[in-house]
Structures are given as C-alpha cells and as structure tokens.
Amino acid sequence: MRPPVPVPTLSRRAKLVIGIVAVLLVLFTVIGTLTNVYVDYLWFDETGFTEVFWTEIQTRALLFAVAALAMGGLVALAVYLAYRFRPAFRPMSLEQQNLERYRQSVEPRRKLVLTAIGVVLGLFAGITAQGSWQTWLEFRNSTDFGQTDPQFGLDISFFVFDYPFYRLALGFGFAIVLLALIGSVLTHYVFGGLRLQTPGQKLTGAARVQLSVLLGLFVALKAIAYWLDRYALVYSDRGDVFTGASYTDVNALLPAKNILVVVAAICAIAFFANILVRNTLLPAAALVLLLASSLVIGVAYPAIVQQFVVRPSADQREQAFIEKAISSTLDAYGLSAVQYVDYAQGQTTDGQADDDGDVTGNSVDTEAALAELADSPTISNARLLDPNVLSATFTARQQIRNVYGFPEKLDIDRYEIDGQLQDYVVAVRELDQTGLSENQSSWINRHTVYTHGNGFVAAPANQVVAGQEGGEPDFTTGNLPTTGDIDVDQARIYYGELLNVGGQDVYSVVGAPEGTAPREFDQPEGGSGEGQINSTYDGEGGVSIGSFFRQLTYAIYYRERNFLLSGAVNDQSKVLYVRDPLERVEKAAPFLTVDGDPYPAVIDGRVQWILDGYTTSDAYPYAEQMELGEAAADALTGTGTTALPDDQFNYIRNSVKATVDAYDGTVTMYAWDQDANPDPVLQTYMKAFPNVVQPQSEMSEELISHVRYPEDLFKLQRDVLTRYHVSDPVDFYNQNDRWQVPADPTRETTDAQPPYYILAQRPGDDDASFQLTSALNAFQRDNLSSFISASSAPENYGELQVLRLPGNTPYRGPKQVQNAFRANNQVRPDLTLFDSDNSEPVFGNLLTLPIGNAGLVYVEPLYVQSTGDSGFPLLQKVLVNYQDRIGYANTLAEALEQVFGAGAGEAAPDSENVQDDGADDTPGESIPPTAPPADDGGGAGAATEDQAVAAINDALAALEAAQRAGDFGGQGQALEDLQTAVDAYQAATGQAAPATPTG
C-alpha cells in the first residue's frame, strides 16, 4: 500500500500577504457598501421617505437572515450528522485507499470546512432571498380583490399575493433538501458510510436513515409542488391564442395533478418507512411509481387529449375557457368599461372601392359635413405644432444660453386662460451640461456654478406666428425672466429630465453663507451686455454637507476630492442628487413602475413635474402576459429603448399620480381613483408603507385639472384591445376582426404610431375635452378599423371610447392617407423643392380627428428645416384629408375650404389669415392635377425654371445663415425671398402659385 500523498502547504509569508490582501479587499468593500447605504439614507431623510428606506432595509435583512440560517444551518447540520455517524472501521479497499488523502486533508480542518459550507451557502441563499422582499411584503399585507377566479373560486389575492410567496418558499425548501442530500452523500462517501465499489452492504445504518429522511422530504415537497401546480393552470398557455386553463388543462391535467399529489405522498411515506423496514426495494419501487405516473398521467394523457379531442374542434371545445380569458384580461388591464360606438365616416351613395381599398367618387353629403365642422370645437383646436418635432425650434428661439436645453420630445398640456381651455406645447428650460464649452466644464463650473435651468415655455398648440417670420410657435409664455399668460412665480429648475447624462446622475453643490456673493449662474443680464445674474439656492431640497464627515462621505461616494479641498464647499452647502423626476419617484416608491413621460405643469405658480405611477402584477389568473417595455415602444421611443423595464406582467393600474417640485425636489404621491376603483395592490403597499401615498382628497383642483391619461398605459391598452375587443369566443379563436396598431406613416419605420393628445369633441359630448387618441387598422391591412380615445377631463377621466367603423367599407388608414399626401400633384413638387442640399421637409404628427357624426378628418402639418447645424423646423403647409379629398394650403382654414367648400375654414384658428390663392374650392374633389409645360429642350421656359431653382437655393442658404446668427430680420427677408422664388418656379412650371405662408 502506497503512503498517502501529503497536501502542500503555504509558507508563512504567503499566508501573511494573502491575509493582508483579503483584509484590504473586505475593508474597501465594507467602506464602499456602508457609504452607499449612508448616502441613500441621507437622500431618503432629505425627501421625507425614511419609512421606505427602513422598511426595505429591515425586510431585506429579515429575509437574508432567515434564508441564510435555514440554508447554511440545515445543510451544515446534515453534513455534520453524516460526519458524526461515520463508521469507526473502514475496510481498506482500493476505493478507501484513494479516499484517504481527502480524509486526511479534511479531518484537521473539519470545523473550518463545515463553517465555510454554512457561511458560503448561507450568503448565497440570503442574497437571493433578500431580492424577493416585495414578494414577502405583498404576502404579509395581502388585500382581498373581492373577486374570485373562474376555475377554483378563490379570491384573486391568493394568486397575486399568496401563491408567489408559496412558490418562493417551496423553491428554497427544494434547494435546502437537495444541497443537504448532496452534502450528506459526499460526506458518507468520503468517510465510508457509502461504499460504491466494496462488496456487500453499500450503506451503513446511519447513512441509510439520513438519506431516506432527506429523500422522503424531497418527495414530500414534490407532493406540495404538485398541489400548487394545480393553481398554476390559470397561467397555462396551452390554448395558443389565450392564456389560462384550457379544456385539456381542466379535464386532463388537473385530475392528473390531483392523482400525482397522492402518489407523491405515498412515495414520501415509503421513504420514511425505509428507516424501519431497512429494505431499499421499497423506496426504489416508490420512485419508479412516481416517475411512471408523472410521465403517463402527467404528460402522455394530457397530450393525447389535446391532440385527439381538442385540436379537431378547438374553437368549440375552448369556448367556455376563452370567455374566461377575455373577461379576465379586460379586467386585468382596466378595459371592462370601454364604450363602443358604431361610427360611420360620413354617408356614401355611389362611392366605389379601388384596388387599394380607397373609396372613390364624389358622394359625401358636404352640407352635413360642413354643418358638423361649423359646430365642432375640434377644428378650432386642431393642433398644428408637433411636440415631437419642435424641440429644435424651441431651442433656437428660447434656449438663450448654451447651458440651457430642451428635451428631444416636448409635452402637451392644457391651461384655461380667460375662461378658454387651450392646449399648449410646453417645456422647461433645463440645465444641459452636454452643451457646456470646454472652458465651462471644470468641476467648479459643472457642479457649483451651472446648477440649474430657468424658465417655463409654452406655445398654443393650434397657432403659429403670423408675420414675416411665419411658421414659428407663438410663445405666449417664455423668455427670461419668464413672462406671459401663464403666471410662474418660481421658474428655477433644479430637478429635470436632462439632469441624467449617459445614465449618470448630475449632482450640484449649492448654498453659501449669508452675505457671500452668489456664485450660481441664474440668467443673462438684461440689456445688450453679456453680463449675468447669479443666485444662491435657498430651497428645502438637498442634503447638507456642512460637516467634515459629510464632505468625506460624498468625496468617497463620488470619488471626488474637491468635496474636501474646494472653497465652494462650505458650512451652508448642500448637495442635490437623484434629480431626474422619474428616478426620484421610483426611488421614493420602489413598488411603483413610473410612466416614461413626465411632463411639467405650473401649479400655484410653481413648476411641478407630474408623473404616473403603475402598480403591476404578473400573477392575475386567466389574463394574457405582456412585456411592459415592448408594449410601450413606438416610433418615438424605438423598440426596447423606453424608460419602462422589460418585465412580464398581466395586471396594471394607474393607481398613483405623483408630483416633483422642479425647484426643491419635493416628491408627493397621491392615490388616484381609489374611492371608485380601489386597487388592491396599492392598498397592500399602503399597509406596508402607511405614510408614503397621500389620499386623492389632498390634490388641489388646479393639479387635478392638469392630470393626463398616461401614454404608456394607453399604448398597452390599445394593444390589448386589438385582440380583446372581440367578445365572441369562436371569432376570438379564429382571430376574426382583429385590429393592429398602424406603423407611424410620417417616419421611415415599422414601429407603431404614437398616440396623440388632442383637445377635441368626442361624438356624444357637448364640448371639447383633453384626450389621448389613436387610430387602429385592420389586421395586416392599411385600412382604418377603429379610433380609440381616453378622456383626461376631470369630470370623466379615464373613460375609454372606441369608434368602430363598418367592417364592410374600406376607410383610409394613416399610411394610405400619408401616401396620398405624398403623391398629390401639388404636394409632390413642393416636397422636391424642400428636399435639397440646404433644407428638408419634415412631416408633423398625422392627427385623426372625429368631427361629430361627419366622420374622421386627418390633419397634418408640414415643416421645412434647414439642414445646417442651427436649422430648425418652420411650419410651411397644412394638409387635410377627408375620405378621398385632399386639401393642401398655407393655412388650415384654406385646406379645409379646399376639401369642404367655402365657409369650412371659418372654424379654424387661422381663419383670419385665409387668402384667395386662386385654387378651385369646389368641394368633393381632390386638388386637381395641373399638366406641366412642355420642355422644348432648352428654351426660355427651361432657363427661367433653372433661375427659379437657383433663387430657391440662395434663399434657403440665406435663411440658414440668418438662423445661425439669430438674425430675425434676416430670417424674415429670407422667407420672403423664398416665397418669391417658389412663386417663380411654379409660374415657370405652369402651377398656380400659393399664397405666402402665414401659419
């Protein structure tokens, strides 16, 4: 017999070096972790949400401790017992000789090894468990839904709150037993309790007892798992086109699960009985029975039923289950009370459908349509400013200094001015550190001088400036200091959407002792000079860093020594961080998913960011699963780039409205719509965090008047409605009358058209209301099928209305309308002119507007933008479509008159600017084509046309230069020259010259 090979040992010096490195690593890790936790605590303390901080910390700590002790302690105990009852005598077979070196290595260090096993496994288990702190809080504070599931008759709270926790606990139970079993088997093998190659008895009595107990526990847990699997059938996807228990699940798989529960329980008893019987055949037979039963009745039998009973007549077999899925899905997504209206788009008598599905013929009752236009406030509020296009225009006209900026996507809100409700394109002039020049980007400038933005900017959405600079927004509120028809008392913006650069929070150090000269740039000085006005922050926001310890803390946290060395950091200093409103609300309420589009509103003279908070669940029975980030993606966000997480869920409520004060960062959350439609998920979290969410009664009337129906929820709901508006289960299964969200026709993309906020009159309403709208097409067709709107008016907030168009008549959808615009014989030449080296056409939002019972009218602004660095869009034309007629003019009023006839433009907001352009205003026809003049191969006409094109290019170049220089007079002159050149071109080509653009 060969002597055992000795285990190599480390030298004393190596042990010392390794020890020092390990201590330093642990020290740096601990200091970094404690610093992060302390900085987090200071933020929660500053915002008044320490209850959230401590509740989360305590819950995480509790779960960590319980899971760590359970996992580490029980597995270590199993290994200890296996070692404790090892055989005293081990025949030295070849197998045992090979194991001797491992025994010699472990034996002197057995306590250390056992402790290491317990600690390592405990840490992994604790870290895993603490991440499920919300699951525990939901289970601990569960609130009944007051509704039962259609299969088991249990309150839905069991599935949403209890079932996930039971699954979590069961998973940990399986992990503990499995690891204990593995540790016990290895220990018994190393120390001789289990002999695989030795003749005779393979197990000692102690090993047999311990392994039988562990296997019995594992099979007993399997019995519990089979029992819980019964409830998981409400999430089954076996039905293909619907979610929830199907015919096969209920009639084949559910009975199988009940049988398997009994079989697994019997098998567990057989393993426990092996403690006394001492016969391995009994548990072996039990295992074979369990495996055979699970394969035959748990897999094969349901597969046979599905293939030979359900598939041949699935639409009939699944009827009852589809009805449950439709009802549950609509309820889970807040769509149970949708108002459906059968809506005919005008009256046709002799119109025919062409090959493209477009209606042709002049059959519209134009007198009736004209009457509807005259009475409808929708036209007077038709939006000409696209908030998704005009960011560059706002920047060019209202940026004022390079340190300021506007987001790429502006917002729409409404204000009542002089008793008149008006929707506005709104934005705040934020601090934009990406615009700082090189000599402005020192630490002092970035974090102590340029600390905030300044100003609120608003322009009526249905107006543009009428004058020589035409086509620009009419900024009725703006400039510095902020002036206009919306009163702003505190316009400084310390918290905003641009204060997160590349995923990094932009922090600022503010405040100074009294009597010290202000150092924060506030706004340019008035007059013609280049001076500036500075200020010192005196708001309630921010964490005080007057003490050395606090300064050291933030120096470590930000890895920035200037917190300790800079004279800008003083006894009165505060540090502002987590300044993005969305991140701020998500941090204060981690149980909420926040809508990706915060918007600013002036409330009581202060700029407040308004946000929508969602409570969600992925455990609502019979409801279809969705992916939040994917459902909220559209042509503006891009797929996968929304602010929402790509989490699976099947229940959502807009249960919270939140505000973030743009000056002091105060976060306030209100329970929304909880009196009429209480949300059990929010009520559950309000039990866990009692003082975090305020009742809706605390909201001021002014704040309520600015609440909008949230975009992300609307996009999700319209996606669900494309399938679940069908109530007949057979039609649903066959996917009859399915809809789809159209692609955005104004962009070169297949991504969904975004919904649009409009101020319009819904059919059946007396007045215009602020609403969120979207067109829906037939499935895999470009024809319009329906129009959905969600009201944001306080008196009927959240009401969803769907206008369903007749399915037997093809109406133009957004893409078809856009194609008709582009192909029109007066639009096409202008697009060619606008699309040059110096400029490009930019189509604005294609709005679908219901005009009483007359039908749906499409309105789209057309902008022209210089291609230079300083170029920005200017409104040049307005396009209108009604059925097969197109209007194309300088104003909405003119375009309406081209479509509907004289007098139709009187309701338009720009009716006072209507000019007689000589176009045929006879209703019922598209703008007629005009034949171009014959080209004689270089005659005078051709030379004149070339000169006109050259003049157009010169005018566009002059316009770009004037925009870059901020020369408003030069811009006006360039626009006049451009119009003259366009007139000359159209005269040369035989086209009627349009009037000068006036908006």
Side-chain angles (χ1 to χ4, degrees):
M1 180 178 69
R2 294 179 299 174
V5 178
V7 178
T9 60
L10 296 173
S11 66
R12 183 176 180 181
R13 183 176 181 181
K15 291 179 180 179
L16 180 62
V17 171
I18 292 175
I20 292 174
V21 172
V23 168
L24 290 176
L25 287 175
V26 170
L27 184 62
F28 284 126
T29 301
V30 169
I31 290 175
T33 301
L34 291 178
T35 299
N36 292 341
V37 172
Y38 182 53
V39 168
D40 261 0
Y41 168 76
L42 292 175
W43 185 89
F44 280 102
D45 184 52
E46 173 246 322
T47 54
F49 291 102
T50 52
E51 179 183 358
V52 175
F53 176 83
W54 288 120
T55 299
E56 181 177 343
I57 289 290
Q58 291 167 4
T59 306
R60 287 180 182 272
L62 173 65
L63 293 178
F64 181 92
V66 170
L69 289 174
M71 177 70 77
L74 292 177
V75 173
L77 176 62
V79 173
Y80 169 76
L81 291 175
Y83 173 80
R84 172 69 177 79
F85 293 104
R86 68 193 184 284
F89 172 74
R90 295 180 293 274
M92 294 306 292
S93 62
L94 180 61
E95 179 183 21
Q96 292 300 312
Q97 290 178 24
N98 292 333
L99 292 173
E100 186 63 26
R101 63 176 297 184
Y102 298 104
R103 286 193 286 268
Q104 286 187 359
S105 300
V106 172
E107 191 72 40
R109 306 176 179 87
R110 62 182 182 275
K111 292 183 179 180
L112 178 62
V113 171
L114 193 62
T115 301
I117 290 174
V119 169
V120 172
L121 292 179
L123 286 175
F124 276 110
I127 292 172
T128 302
Q130 60 86 31
S132 301
W133 64 277
Q134 289 180 278
T135 302
W136 163 251
L137 284 181
E138 290 178 354
F139 173 76
R140 178 71 178 80
N141 301 282
S142 173
T143 302
D144 287 347
F145 274 67
Q147 300 170 264
T148 57
D149 80 285
Q151 178 58 45
F152 298 98
L154 298 173
D155 190 272
I156 290 175
S157 62
F158 169 81
F159 297 93
V160 174
F161 302 129
D162 300 342
Y163 183 77
F165 178 75
Y166 293 148
R167 277 295 186 187
L168 177 66
L170 182 65
F172 270 93
F174 271 120
I176 290 171
V177 172
L178 185 60
L179 290 173
L181 181 62
I182 293 172
S184 299
V185 168
L186 290 176
T187 304
H188 281 300
Y189 180 67
V190 170
F191 288 96
L194 170 63
R195 306 182 188 94
L196 299 178
Q197 300 176 12
T198 304
Q201 187 177 7
K202 304 294 185 183
L203 286 170
T204 63
R208 177 177 49 78
V209 169
Q210 185 177 14
L211 297 182
S212 295
V213 169
L214 291 173
L215 287 170
L217 288 174
F218 186 86
V219 178
L221 290 175
K222 190 62 179 173
I224 297 174
Y226 282 132
W227 180 260
L228 291 179
D229 285 346
R230 298 162 62 254
Y231 302 113
L233 296 178
V234 299
Y235 311 122
S236 171
D237 58 359
R238 192 189 296 270
D240 293 333
V241 298
F242 69 96
T243 300
S246 65
Y247 178 93
T248 300
D249 293 322
V250 172
N251 295 283
L253 193 55
L254 182 58
K257 294 294 184 182
N258 289 329
I259 295 172
L260 288 172
V261 170
V262 177
V263 172
I266 294 173
C267 292
I269 293 173
F271 276 104
F272 292 136
N274 191 48
I275 298 172
L276 301 175
V277 176
R278 301 180 182 181
N279 186 345
T280 56
L281 291 178
L282 181 62
L287 265 181
V288 172
L289 174 63
L290 180 60
L291 290 173
S293 300
S294 63
L295 290 174
V296 174
I297 66 176
V299 177
Y301 175 60
I304 292 172
V305 171
Q306 179 71 20
Q307 184 67 33
F308 297 102
V309 177
V310 176
R311 284 192 184 278
S313 55
D315 57 343
Q316 302 299 319
R317 296 283 185 182
E318 303 286 19
Q319 276 194 63
F321 306 100
I322 293 175
E323 288 179 352
K324 297 175 184 178
I326 293 174
S327 176
S328 296
T329 299
L330 292 176
D331 184 67
Y333 292 102
L335 295 170
S336 297
V338 174
Q339 176 189 5
Y340 291 95
V341 177
D342 292 329
Y343 190 72
Q345 178 160 318
Q347 303 296 322
T348 59
T349 57
D350 59 356
Q352 301 295 322
D354 61 21
D355 294 339
D356 295 327
D358 296 330
V359 176
T360 61
N362 305 323
S363 55
V364 177
D365 185 350
T366 54
E367 291 186 5
L370 191 60
E372 293 279 2
L373 282 172
D375 294 337
S376 174
T378 299
I379 291 299
S380 62
N381 289 290
R383 199 172 81 213
L384 301 178
L385 300 185
D386 184 352
N388 308 308
V389 169
L390 295 177
S391 177
T393 305
F394 270 55
T395 300
R397 303 295 283 113
Q398 287 288 329
Q399 183 185 27
I400 298 179
R401 283 287 180 90
N402 66 303
V403 300
Y404 298 133
F406 295 96
E408 291 184 7
K409 182 177 182 291
L410 307 179
D411 292 294
I412 290 285
D413 196 8
R414 73 283 198 196
Y415 290 83
E416 188 170 334
I417 307 297
D418 297 329
Q420 180 70 35
L421 189 65
Q422 170 70 60
D423 56 343
Y424 289 81
V425 177
V426 298
V428 291
R429 191 180 293 105
E430 297 188 50
L431 171 68
D432 182 10
Q433 291 205 352
T434 61
L436 295 178
S437 62
E438 291 185 5
N439 61 349
Q440 292 175 316
S441 58
S442 65
W443 185 88
I444 292 293
N445 282 332
R446 284 185 292 112
H447 297 290
T448 69
V449 175
Y450 299 113
T451 60
H452 63 280
N454 197 331
F456 180 82
V457 181
N462 64 344
Q463 301 174 21
V464 291
V465 174
Q468 64 175 1
E469 299 173 8
E472 293 186 0
D474 182 11
F475 295 105
T476 58
T477 299
N479 303 324
L480 281 176
T482 301
T483 57
D485 54 12
I486 300 174
D487 295 330
V488 184
D489 298 329
Q490 179 52 268
R492 296 183 180 93
I493 310 298
Y494 280 86
Y495 296 85
E497 294 180 284
L498 299 184
L499 293 171
N500 187 316
V501 180
Q504 297 295 318
D505 180 47
V506 175
Y507 68 90
S508 289
V509 178
V510 298
E514 188 175 351
T516 304
R519 63 180 301 115
E520 300 175 44
F521 171 76
D522 193 49
Q523 57 183 287
E525 192 173 22
S528 59
E530 293 297 325
Q532 64 186 44
I533 300 173
N534 290 349
S535 66
T536 298
Y537 181 72
D538 60 358
E540 297 296 324
V543 176
S544 175
I545 53 171
S547 67
F548 174 79
F549 180 73
R550 291 277 182 92
Q551 293 168 9
L552 177 62
T553 297
Y554 284 93
I556 295 174
Y557 182 75
Y558 286 112
R559 295 174 175 82
E560 179 54 65
R561 62 180 181 271
N562 280 310
F563 279 95
L564 299 173
L565 303 178
S566 175
V569 181
N570 52 71
D571 293 344
Q572 301 300 315
S573 290
K574 292 181 175 181
V575 59
L576 311 179
Y577 55 105
V578 188
R579 300 167 71 185
D580 186 320
L582 189 150
E583 293 182 359
R584 205 164 175 83
V585 173
E586 284 186 332
K587 192 175 184 68
F591 51 88
L592 293 178
T593 300
V594 182
D595 190 272
D597 186 26
Y599 61 99
V602 178
I603 310 294
D604 296 326
R606 296 178 70 93
V607 178
Q608 301 277 351
W609 292 97
I610 301 179
L611 304 96
D612 292 277
Y614 305 124
T615 45
T616 63
S617 173
D618 63 353
Y620 197 93
Y622 269 99
E624 181 176 326
Q625 291 279 346
M626 303 286 287
E627 192 170 277
L628 199 55
E630 179 180 341
D634 59 31
L636 296 178
T637 63
T639 304
T641 61
T642 67
L644 298 177
D646 289 328
D647 294 337
Q648 291 286 328
F649 73 105
N650 65 355
Y651 172 89
I652 187 169
R653 288 292 185 272
N654 176 210
S655 54
V656 170
K657 299 291 185 181
T659 63
V660 176
D661 191 286
Y663 182 66
D664 61 27
T666 299
V667 178
T668 311
M669 289 173 282
Y670 304 95
W672 181 251
D673 202 25
Q674 294 304 295
D675 294 333
N677 301 292
D679 172 34
V681 179
L682 179 63
Q683 291 179 322
T684 294
Y685 277 108
M686 289 177 71
K687 292 178 185 177
F689 306 102
N691 301 311
V692 170
V693 180
Q694 307 301 316
Q696 184 175 337
S697 58
E698 296 295 319
M699 298 179 71
S700 68
E701 290 186 8
E702 187 174 3
L703 174 57
I704 292 177
S705 71
H706 287 279
V707 166
R708 305 186 316 187
Y709 199 85
E711 273 191 84
D712 289 336
L713 176 62
F714 183 81
K715 286 186 280 188
L716 168 65
Q717 289 176 321
R718 73 175 179 179
D719 190 25
V720 172
L721 280 177
T722 59
R723 301 177 299 283
Y724 286 88
H725 71 281
V726 179
S727 57
D728 182 85
V730 175
D731 287 342
F732 183 91
Y733 184 85
N734 294 324
Q735 298 291 285
N736 290 337
D737 195 27
R738 184 174 174 179
W739 300 335
Q740 72 178 21
V741 179
D744 189 345
T746 66
R747 298 168 184 264
E748 300 296 329
T749 179
T750 59
D751 293 332
Q753 184 183 37
Y756 298 123
Y757 288 104
I758 62 174
L759 189 60
Q761 181 185 28
R762 299 203 296 185
D765 290 353
D766 295 329
D767 300 310
S769 61
F770 194 66
Q771 53 193 277
L772 186 57
T773 64
S774 177
L776 294 175
N777 284 351
F779 184 62
Q780 294 185 348
R781 293 285 293 163
D782 292 327
N783 303 117
L784 191 67
S785 286
S786 61
F787 176 81
I788 178 174
S789 63
S791 174
S792 293
E795 60 272 14
N796 59 354
Y797 177 92
E799 287 186 4
L800 289 166
Q801 183 186 78
V802 175
L803 306 181
R804 292 188 295 200
L805 299 174
N808 60 352
T809 306
Y811 296 108
R812 287 185 176 182
K815 183 178 179 179
Q816 292 175 328
V817 170
Q818 186 69 23
N819 289 341
F821 283 158
R822 288 180 176 272
N824 183 270
N825 55 17
Q826 286 202 8
V827 178
R828 188 173 61 252
D830 280 1
L831 293 180
T832 301
L833 287 175
F834 297 152
D835 190 6
S836 67
D837 292 339
N838 298 316
S839 67
E840 60 182 352
V842 178
F843 283 100
N845 36 217
L846 179 58
L847 300 179
T848 309
L849 304 177
I851 310 298
N853 295 318
L856 298 170
V857 173
Y858 290 96
V859 175
E860 182 176 29
L862 175 60
Y863 306 90
V864 175
Q865 177 173 351
S866 169
T867 55
D869 294 337
S870 302
F872 56 88
L874 295 168
L875 181 68
Q876 292 296 318
K877 298 286 184 179
V878 180
L879 299 107
V880 173
N881 171 266
Y882 180 74
Q883 292 197 11
D884 60 338
R885 286 164 311 288
I886 292 175
Y888 176 66
N890 302 312
T891 66
L892 175 60
E894 291 176 285
L896 288 171
E897 296 205 349
Q898 289 176 359
V899 172
F900 294 100
E906 293 179 2
D910 52 10
S911 59
E912 67 275 11
N913 297 322
V914 174
Q915 300 182 28
D916 185 6
D917 59 1
D920 183 5
D921 289 341
T922 303
E925 298 180 2
S926 298
I927 297 175
T930 302
D935 187 356
D936 61 2
T944 304
E945 180 179 338
D946 291 341
Q947 292 171 358
V949 171
I952 288 172
N953 290 332
D954 291 342
L956 289 171
L959 176 61
E960 178 186 352
Q963 289 175 343
R964 187 182 300 111
D967 180 4
F968 300 147
Q971 292 178 43
Q973 183 60 50
L975 286 170
E976 290 183 1
D977 294 343
L978 177 61
Q979 183 62 61
T980 300
V982 170
D983 292 343
Y985 176 84
Q986 291 176 328
T989 57
Q991 301 180 43
T996 302
T998 58

